[in-house]
Structure formats: structure tokens, C-alpha cells
Amino acid sequence: MLELRGARLASDAAAPVWRSALGEEKRWAKQVPPGTGDESWAEQFREYKAQRLQLRYDLKDAIEQHDFAKLSAVKAAWEGAFGFPFVAADDVRERLAMGHQLVPGVCIKHRRFGYRGVVVACEPWCNAPAAWRAQMGTPSL
């Protein structure tokens, strides 16, 4: 067990939580999350999100025009995570697929806190301060 200034490490090193003798918990996050500043990733992310957003526009157009054949094809592409950059590696495809439904205009309900919202923008990495990421328990965002 690791102890520092009277607090014990109460979790793993990936998302450290320090617990004091009084039970108070402090979370910690790296100042810069992994992957921040990787322009190759950012370019692939933006390309993927642009293609996914175009699919949303195509869905809207098919609905407005009552073109059910097109609607069926576009819906299948949307649900199948279509839009990967042609030369993306498998690990990049996996990372992109995790947020394949999150494009501007999509309504969401937060899993953990239950609030509702609308996606207004997408960024290739989390720009939130380290203190916020630590408090939310997501130090690797």
C-alpha cells in the first residue's frame, strides 16, 4: 500500500484516488492527457466527423423527400459506423467508432448524471482542465 502525507492510494495508477485518514478523497489527472496535440489523429478525427455529419444531412434530406430507399441505405450506413478514413489503422478505427453517433445536432442523455443536451461541436481530445478531469474521474480523456 502506497502512502503519501497521511493519504493512501485507494485505486490504480491510471486514475489515482488518494484517501485521507478522515475518508476525504482527492483525485489526480495528468496536466496533458495522452494523445493531445497529435495532428495525425486530429486530422483523421475531423475527417471522420465530417463524413458522419454528412450522413446526418443525408438522413434529413431522405426524410424530407420521402425517399425511403435512400433513407434505408443511409440509415444502415449511419448505424454501421460508416465514415472511416480510408487508411485508418485498426486502433484508430476503434477509437473513432466509440463516438460514431456523436456529431453536431445529436440529442444526448448523459449516462452518469442523467441530464439532456445537444452536441454542438466535436474535438479530437478533451480540452478540460486537469482538475475537472480528476474531479469527474476521467483523467485519461
Side-chain angles (χ1 to χ4, degrees):
M1 176 125 348
L2 186 60
E3 193 169 318
L4 179 66
R5 294 185 182 176
R8 292 179 186 244
L9 184 61
S11 66
D12 63 7
V17 177
W18 294 90
R19 188 170 293 131
S20 73
L22 300 174
E24 180 184 14
E25 289 187 353
K26 296 284 185 178
R27 299 178 185 275
W28 177 84
K30 291 183 179 180
Q31 289 294 332
V32 179
T36 301
D38 181 352
E39 287 305 316
S40 158
W41 159 252
E43 184 178 324
Q44 289 178 324
F45 178 88
R46 289 184 187 107
E47 180 182 340
Y48 177 72
K49 290 298 182 176
Q51 291 178 19
R52 296 292 295 170
L53 186 57
Q54 184 59 51
L55 270 179
R56 288 277 297 180
Y57 291 141
D58 293 347
L59 275 170
K60 179 186 81 68
D61 292 343
I63 291 169
E64 286 177 349
Q65 297 166 4
H66 301 285
D67 186 346
F68 299 111
K70 180 180 177 184
L71 179 60
S72 178
V74 174
K75 183 179 178 194
W78 174 260
E79 290 173 349
F82 169 83
F84 289 110
F86 185 72
V87 293
D90 289 342
D91 62 324
V92 171
R93 287 174 180 263
E94 189 175 312
R95 282 176 70 188
L96 290 171
M98 289 190 314
H100 74 276
Q101 292 188 337
L102 297 175
V103 295
V106 171
C107 298
I108 58 114
K109 182 176 179 184
H110 197 281
R111 287 183 203 159
R112 188 168 161 194
F113 299 113
Y115 60 78
R116 298 177 184 276
V118 176
V119 175
V120 295
C122 298
E123 299 172 335
W125 43 75
C126 180
N127 290 321
W132 180 88
R133 292 192 324 271
Q135 178 184 2
M136 301 313 282
T138 54
S140 61
L141 277 182

